[in-house]
Amino acid sequence: MKTLVFAAQRAARLNEMLRTLLPAQLKTAISNSKIRRLIMAGMVSLNGEQCRNPSAMVRAGGRLTVLIDEEKIFYEKQPDDIAFEVTARDLLYEDDVILVVNKPAFFPVEAGMVKSRDNLHAALVRYLFEKQKREHPAMKNPPYVGIMHRLDRETSGVMLFTKARSVNAACHDMFERHEVQKCYRAVVCAGGGNGGSRFLRQQKFSVEMYMGRISPKSQAAKWGAVAEKEGGLYSKTEFFLAGEGLLDGKKVAYVDCRLHTGRTHQIRVHLASAGLPILGDRLYGGESYRRIMLHAHRLAFPHPLTGQVLTVTAPLPENFGALRG
């Protein structure tokens, strides 16, 4: 998140002023509709007060503060999200302080700039609120739900949330200390002649690299190998061949992925670098398919209160092969 601060040189409406100031500061064009959504989302303050009115008048000398999430402001897909409501069968584990849920594909984890767009966090709050109101009809305020990590919109599978702020620090620390074991299943393109067959013959291989963003900010965020001295962050993934076959006429392999670090798009980048792009992942060279075929199937972590290691598995969706054991 970037914070931009401006001093108004002349009087003008808020949206008109940002139409001039933002492109100059960000060095790229930004549409009027995105400026309006930025204001409506509460990301703009005028003289220290949040302002959600695009037509608000700004006097000369007024102080503007703008919060910019570059990932969302510069690139926003046309949503084809599913309609989804959490039910008891979507819960993989629940106690008084944490909740583990099976996230569906084509459903974002959290709210973006379009506040009306539904998301998993909001759906969990609704589910818990209705559940608690059945037990305590007088309850007025929705429950707290904390997001501990994220999955891409098209990625399905196991996700951990907190139900009490008191355990947020412990959960954050266990991710930072790499005490959380995250295992994914990917369906990769195995017949594209990209050199991936030699890795599949090994049955087990790993990829290590320093990663960073390699795409212009005005385009879809794409990550790749970036030298450490240029800001790249270390990343490592272990891969295990789980099987091979044909899927809708495409030669594929089923690969289990164990993350040692948690960089943006890490599995997608690492598999593509090995010549095994994920089926449906057009951004990283995969063949077109109905979705990016990546599923978070297992999460193992120490309980934030007891320290007991919990292992939670999300069933594999159709066409992801079968889990061993």
Side-chain angles (χ1 to χ4, degrees):
M1 187 78 71
K2 177 182 290 188
T3 302
L4 304 177
V5 179
F6 305 98
Q9 301 299 312
R10 58 181 179 82
R13 291 195 304 177
L14 180 58
N15 59 343
E16 293 175 349
M17 186 166 292
L18 292 181
R19 202 174 297 157
T20 301
L21 295 173
L22 286 180
Q25 180 69 34
L26 299 171
K27 297 181 174 57
T28 188
I30 178 170
S31 68
N32 294 339
S33 62
K34 285 190 175 182
I35 290 173
R36 180 178 179 83
R37 291 205 302 270
L38 192 71
I39 298 169
M40 299 295 289
M43 307 302 279
V44 179
S45 295
L46 174 58
N47 297 325
E49 297 289 334
Q50 188 181 71
C51 182
R52 295 176 183 264
N53 179 9
S55 300
M57 286 301 300
V58 182
R59 298 179 183 276
R63 185 173 181 270
L64 294 174
T65 304
V66 184
L67 299 178
I68 297 285
D69 185 329
E70 294 177 296
E71 293 294 319
K72 294 173 181 176
I73 196 71
F74 288 121
Y75 180 75
E76 188 176 322
K77 292 181 181 179
Q78 292 297 316
D80 54 351
D81 303 336
I82 62 169
F84 178 72
E85 291 295 339
V86 175
T87 65
R89 67 174 178 270
D90 301 307
L91 303 184
L92 304 172
Y93 177 87
E94 182 183 6
D95 61 24
D96 290 340
V97 295
I98 62 172
L99 176 70
V100 185
V101 66
N102 187 10
K103 173 193 173 299
F106 295 107
F107 201 59
V109 169
E110 59 185 326
M113 288 186 61
V114 181
K115 293 301 179 183
S116 61
R117 190 177 182 188
D118 201 9
N119 58 86
L120 183 58
H121 178 259
L124 280 170
V125 171
R126 291 195 299 269
Y127 170 81
L128 292 175
F129 197 20
E130 289 301 318
K131 180 180 176 181
Q132 292 177 11
K133 283 196 296 185
R134 288 194 295 270
E135 300 171 359
H136 307 284
M139 180 171 286
K140 300 296 183 182
N141 296 320
Y144 171 80
V145 176
I147 302 172
M148 292 295 103
H149 61 122
R150 287 158 178 80
L151 294 176
D152 292 339
R153 188 184 71 100
E154 287 188 42
T155 301
S156 56
V158 60
M159 284 198 69
L160 169 67
F161 295 83
T162 58
K163 295 169 59 179
R165 289 183 174 87
S166 59
V167 298
N168 283 355
C171 288
H172 177 268
D173 288 347
M174 70 188 184
F175 279 98
E176 287 293 308
R177 292 194 296 261
H178 305 294
E179 296 173 348
V180 180
Q181 185 181 101
K182 293 181 279 187
C183 297
Y184 290 69
R185 167 64 61 86
V187 182
V188 304
C189 307
N194 294 321
S197 58
R198 67 185 178 91
F199 289 102
L200 295 179
R201 287 195 296 270
Q202 297 174 24
Q203 302 289 309
K204 173 184 175 181
F205 63 96
S206 64
V207 175
E208 298 177 68
M209 67 170 65
Y210 287 90
M211 287 179 56
R213 180 166 178 157
I214 60 173
S215 59
K217 291 180 179 178
S218 59
Q219 298 178 11
K222 187 174 183 180
W223 303 78
V226 173
E228 182 180 11
K229 64 182 180 181
E230 296 175 356
L233 298 175
Y234 175 75
S235 61
K236 178 180 178 181
T237 313
E238 285 185 288
F239 298 101
F240 307 86
L241 179 64
E244 296 181 80
L246 289 175
L247 180 56
D248 295 337
K250 303 176 187 293
K251 186 178 180 181
V252 300
Y254 305 100
V255 178
D256 288 333
C257 320
R258 180 181 175 187
L259 286 167
H260 287 257
T261 54
R263 309 305 178 197
T264 302
H265 292 186
Q266 179 173 317
I267 292 175
R268 298 166 65 181
V269 172
H270 284 188
L271 284 171
S273 74
L276 296 167
I278 297 174
L279 183 63
D281 191 1
R282 298 296 301 278
L283 185 62
Y284 293 102
E287 295 183 40
S288 180
Y289 200 63
R290 63 186 68 133
R291 62 166 282 198
I292 296 174
M293 295 292 280
L294 183 64
H295 176 74
H297 73 76
R298 185 176 297 122
L299 195 69
F301 58 94
H303 192 281
L305 292 183
T306 68
Q308 178 183 358
V309 175
L310 299 175
T311 300
V312 186
T313 300
L316 289 175
E318 184 181 3
N319 295 332
F320 273 79
L323 285 176
R324 294 176 177 174

